[in-house]
């Protein structure tokens, strides 16, 4: 779609049938209402941190009012190109080098808004602006590469340290769990051992109680005292035969050869412990003494038999 401006009358000729007066009217401006693409030449700009950049771009615009575009400005494309360059330098001066690369979209949007505000009276509307290339000085580029490498080394170091820390934590946690399990196992072992020892002691106590009960029952039978005297005499002879085997220090009774008196004393103590005191206690003790003396002959025979064996 084309729009023509007639010279002389200043009228705008639209599409369709238009009548021109020869000599007085002629076609002076022809404006295209399509979208126009303009290359913005490369230019230098200084960022906020004093880094000089070489930057260029592409401008997309459309003529919205052909009359203003024809009579509002001499060369609309040139005016918009210069406006885009100055606006781009102004916007770059507000940003540091790092933000220029990170905020290209916001930079483009700011340039479009600034161009539309200034070109509204020209009948032109900027649709979008795109930055094509950003050229950084060689030394700055080297510094950026060194910064990137340092950042990567930093990340690698951090990751390695985190891995080492996680490994140490895992090892410590494993040792902790191992110690806990070992202590629990030792505790269970001690409990089982204590339970076993208690069971053994209980079994021994029951066996000893049963043996004492059987012994007591045997002592109440006929000639039980004689059997007890014989057992005491045998134990005395056995103990006397083991003297001076384990130690050089020996404690002997005043009459070690008198087995009869030793057995009598043991039986007297036994009788005093087993018989409750009462009115006939003295008589019972006397009878026990007589029984012991009555069995001296039998004990002497048994002692002679033990010694010979």
């Amino acid at each position: 779609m084309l729009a023509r401006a007639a010279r002389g009358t200043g009228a705008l000729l639209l599409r369709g049938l238009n009548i021109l007066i020869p000599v007085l009217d002629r076609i002076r401006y022809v404006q295209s209402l399509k979208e126009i693409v303009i290359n913005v030449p490369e230019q230098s700009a200084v960022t906020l941190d004093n880094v000089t950049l070489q930057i260029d771009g592409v401008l997309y615009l459309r003529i919205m009012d052909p009359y203003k575009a024809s009579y509002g400005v001499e060369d609309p494309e040139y005016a918009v190109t210069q406006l885009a360059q100055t606006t781009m330098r102004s916007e770059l001066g507000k940003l540091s080098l790092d933000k220029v690369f990170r905020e290209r979209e916001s930079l483009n949007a700011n340039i479009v808004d600034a161009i539309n505000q200034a070109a509204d009276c020209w009948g032109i509307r900027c649709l979008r602006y795109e930055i094509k290339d950003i050229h950084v000085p060689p030394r700055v580029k080297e510094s950026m590469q060194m910064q990137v490498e340092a950042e990567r080394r930093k990340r690698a170091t951090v990751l390695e340290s985190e891995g080492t820390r996680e490994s140490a934590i895992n090892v410590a946690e494993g040792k902790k769990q191992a110690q806990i399990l070992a202590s629990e196992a030792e505790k269970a072992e001690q409990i089982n051992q204590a339970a076993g020892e208690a069971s053994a002691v209980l079994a021994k106590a029951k066996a000893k109680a049963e043996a004492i009960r059987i012994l007591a029952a045997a002592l109440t039978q006929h000639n039980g005292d004689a059997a007890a005297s014989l057992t005491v005499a045998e134990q005395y002879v056995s103990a006397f035969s083991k003297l001076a085997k384990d130690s050089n220090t020996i404690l002997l009774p005043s009459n070690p050869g008198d087995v009869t008196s030793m057995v009598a004393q043991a039986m007297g103590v036994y009788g005093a412990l087993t018989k409750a005191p009462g009115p006939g206690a003295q008589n019972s003790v006397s009878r026990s003494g007589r029984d012991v003396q009555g069995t001296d002959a039998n004990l002497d025979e048994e002692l002679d038999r033990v010694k010979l064996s």
Side-chain angles (χ1 to χ4, degrees):
M1 180 179 180
L2 299 177
R4 298 177 177 86
R7 182 183 177 186
T9 60
L12 180 63
L13 302 180
L14 301 176
R15 62 181 178 177
L17 181 61
N18 293 278
I19 299 174
L20 298 178
I21 301 174
V23 180
L24 295 179
D25 296 329
R26 66 173 180 170
I27 303 300
R28 183 66 181 87
Y29 300 101
V30 178
Q31 303 292 348
S32 175
L33 301 182
K34 297 179 180 180
E35 186 174 346
I36 303 172
V37 180
I38 300 175
N39 288 323
V40 179
E42 186 179 40
Q43 62 174 340
S44 61
V46 181
T47 61
L48 184 63
D49 49 355
N50 297 324
V51 178
T52 302
L53 301 177
Q54 298 293 327
I55 188 169
D56 58 358
V58 180
L59 185 63
Y60 300 86
L61 54 86
R62 175 178 291 174
I63 295 176
M64 308 302 294
D65 189 344
Y67 183 82
K68 291 182 180 180
S70 301
Y71 296 100
V73 62
E74 183 67 26
D75 189 349
E77 293 185 3
Y78 177 77
V80 172
T81 301
Q82 295 299 316
L83 181 60
Q85 288 182 330
T86 55
T87 304
M88 184 169 54
R89 285 195 296 267
S90 177
E91 292 296 329
L92 284 175
K94 299 177 183 178
L95 301 175
S96 61
L97 180 61
D98 295 334
K99 291 185 177 181
V100 169
F101 295 98
R102 291 198 301 264
E103 300 181 4
R104 292 182 68 167
E105 293 183 0
S106 62
L107 180 62
N108 295 334
N110 293 335
I111 294 174
V112 170
D113 292 339
I115 292 175
N116 287 331
Q117 291 177 5
D120 184 60
C121 60
W122 299 340
I124 300 174
R125 181 173 181 79
C126 181
L127 301 179
R128 58 189 178 276
Y129 179 85
E130 297 292 340
I131 297 175
K132 289 202 306 183
D133 297 321
I134 298 176
H135 300 284
V136 183
R139 296 185 62 182
V140 177
K141 186 181 294 185
E142 293 177 359
S143 300
M144 292 175 65
Q145 291 178 353
M146 293 175 61
Q147 182 180 0
V148 171
E149 292 177 359
E151 185 68 22
R152 290 178 179 175
R153 286 196 297 268
K154 175 184 175 182
R155 292 179 182 178
T157 304
V158 170
L159 291 176
E160 184 178 0
S161 62
E162 290 180 355
T164 304
R165 186 188 67 175
E166 292 294 333
S167 177
I169 291 175
N170 291 335
V171 172
E173 189 68 23
K175 292 182 178 179
K176 176 182 175 182
Q177 293 296 330
Q179 291 179 356
I180 292 174
L181 293 176
S183 63
E184 291 179 354
E186 184 178 359
K187 177 182 176 182
E189 182 181 1
Q190 292 178 357
I191 291 174
N192 294 333
Q193 184 177 2
E197 291 178 356
S199 299
V201 171
L202 183 61
K204 290 180 180 179
K206 289 181 178 180
K208 188 173 182 179
E210 184 67 19
I212 293 174
R213 185 181 64 79
I214 295 173
L215 180 61
L219 290 176
T220 57
Q221 296 178 0
H222 182 67
N223 294 329
D225 294 339
S229 300
L230 178 60
T231 302
V232 171
E234 289 178 351
Q235 293 179 357
Y236 178 81
V237 173
S238 176
F240 191 79
S241 64
K242 295 180 181 179
L243 292 176
K245 287 186 176 181
D246 297 332
S247 176
N248 295 328
T249 303
I250 303 174
L251 297 176
L252 296 175
S254 58
N255 52 350
D258 192 359
V259 181
T260 303
S261 62
M262 180 62 66
V263 172
Q265 291 178 3
M267 294 304 297
V269 173
Y270 169 75
L273 291 175
T274 55
K275 293 182 180 180
Q282 295 295 332
N283 296 329
S284 298
V285 173
S286 298
R287 287 195 300 270
S288 298
R290 285 194 300 271
D291 292 337
V292 169
Q293 291 176 359
T295 58
D296 285 342
N298 295 329
L299 288 176
D300 291 336
E301 293 177 358
E302 291 294 333
L303 288 175
D304 292 337
R305 183 177 61 79
V306 170
K307 289 180 180 179
L308 291 175
S309 61

